[in-house]
Amino acid sequence: MQHVTELEQRCADAWPALVDRPLGQWRLRAAGGFTGRANSALTTGDPGLPVSDALTEVVGFATAHGIKPTAHVVVGAPAEAGVEAAGWRVDVDHPGGAESLVMTGRLDGFATPKSADVVISDSPLPEWWELAAQPDPTAAQRHVLSSGKTVGFGTVTVNGQVLAAVRGAVVDDLLHVARLAVRPEARGLGLARRLMGGLATWGLDRGATTCALQVAEHNKPAITLYESLGCAEHHRYRYWVSNHS
């Protein structure tokens, strides 16, 4: 199994924050408040100083960039005890949920032949933005979602209407999958599965062999879908915040 730190670092590379400053092996990230991942300190690996001192750096960085001091902490990792000992708490009020699963799976297990209605583009369509973020995306949303070396913007179009969207980013041999969305009126038609199959084929064509997905623990339909595609839980992470925030 791929090491947790390596996988988390690749996922971070696939989800580029506006500001990403190293603190030893930690990463201090800010992106105007768009998503927890891009606005938290990734605490995998060694920060090069005691955890309590590293968290002081996290607070200073967050304050300077106008975001809430937040730590992205792998459940059961060495940093977790230090974060708790420093008086931080799990952010139970986080909009996307405090705890998420990181799931991985082999792309050749669910890749499907290319079809006309499933398209993976090099640039996002307006309809993609509408489904994956908002019709008029902010500068932070544009940076996080559309910058990167190898990024694909998947859509399913039926009768001229875009009904589903997804984002894929290849980092080395990993396909990072995010922002999977289906219009409410089109759910239950298998569009998400078809879109994931097309994205897997796109990833394989670009050298990826496995995928990684970060999904909130309460999102049972998404977890069920990914499990049906052969993905399994690799590890979990939680967001922690200072008691002073």
Side-chain angles (χ1 to χ4, degrees):
M1 181 178 289
Q2 191 173 38
H3 192 276
V4 169
T5 295
E6 180 185 359
L7 182 56
E8 283 287 344
Q9 293 285 348
R10 289 188 180 186
C11 288
D13 289 341
W15 197 252
L18 278 168
V19 183
D20 191 334
R21 195 183 88 197
L23 180 64
Q25 290 180 298
W26 287 21
R27 295 169 70 158
L28 311 183
R29 304 171 294 182
F34 176 62
T35 78
R37 280 173 280 163
N39 292 273
S40 59
L42 179 59
T43 64
T44 55
D46 181 5
L49 65 167
V51 170
S52 59
D53 293 338
L55 291 173
T56 299
E57 293 289 325
V58 171
V59 172
F61 175 86
T63 301
H65 291 89
I67 59 175
K68 182 169 69 173
T70 305
H72 172 142
V73 184
V74 171
V75 175
E80 188 176 48
V83 172
E84 185 173 15
W88 288 46
R89 57 181 171 80
V90 175
D91 186 8
V92 295
D93 298 319
H94 188 272
E99 184 167 325
S100 292
L101 287 68
V102 178
M103 303 181 72
T104 59
R106 290 192 56 84
L107 296 179
D108 56 13
F110 62 94
T112 55
K114 296 175 183 177
S115 62
D117 56 350
V118 178
V119 176
I120 313 298
S121 306
D122 292 333
S123 57
L125 300 169
E127 294 87 352
W128 186 93
W129 281 114
E130 178 191 350
L131 271 174
Q134 61 187 41
D136 185 20
T138 66
Q141 288 172 332
R142 285 190 180 278
H143 180 86
V144 173
L145 297 177
S146 63
S147 64
K149 183 179 177 182
T150 308
V151 182
F153 306 90
T155 54
V156 178
T157 302
V158 179
N159 296 326
Q161 184 180 20
V162 175
L163 297 180
V166 72
R167 177 188 186 270
V170 175
V171 178
D172 298 325
D173 62 351
L174 180 76
L175 171 66
H176 180 267
V177 181
R179 309 307 283 190
L180 179 62
V182 179
R183 292 189 187 278
E185 66 273 19
R187 290 171 186 165
L189 303 178
L191 300 185
R193 179 179 298 275
R194 288 168 59 193
L195 189 52
M196 287 292 293
L199 186 65
T201 299
W202 176 88
L204 285 167
D205 288 345
R206 284 152 184 80
T209 59
T210 60
C211 68
L213 314 105
Q214 293 151 303
V215 55
E217 64 172 347
H218 62 73
N219 192 349
K220 304 303 182 185
I223 293 171
T224 299
L225 169 66
Y226 301 142
E227 287 177 339
S228 74
L229 296 174
C231 299
E233 180 178 332
H234 186 280
H235 64 275
R236 296 186 179 210
Y237 65 87
R238 294 189 290 186
Y239 291 116
W240 291 69
V241 292
S242 167
N243 274 324
H244 301 293
S245 62

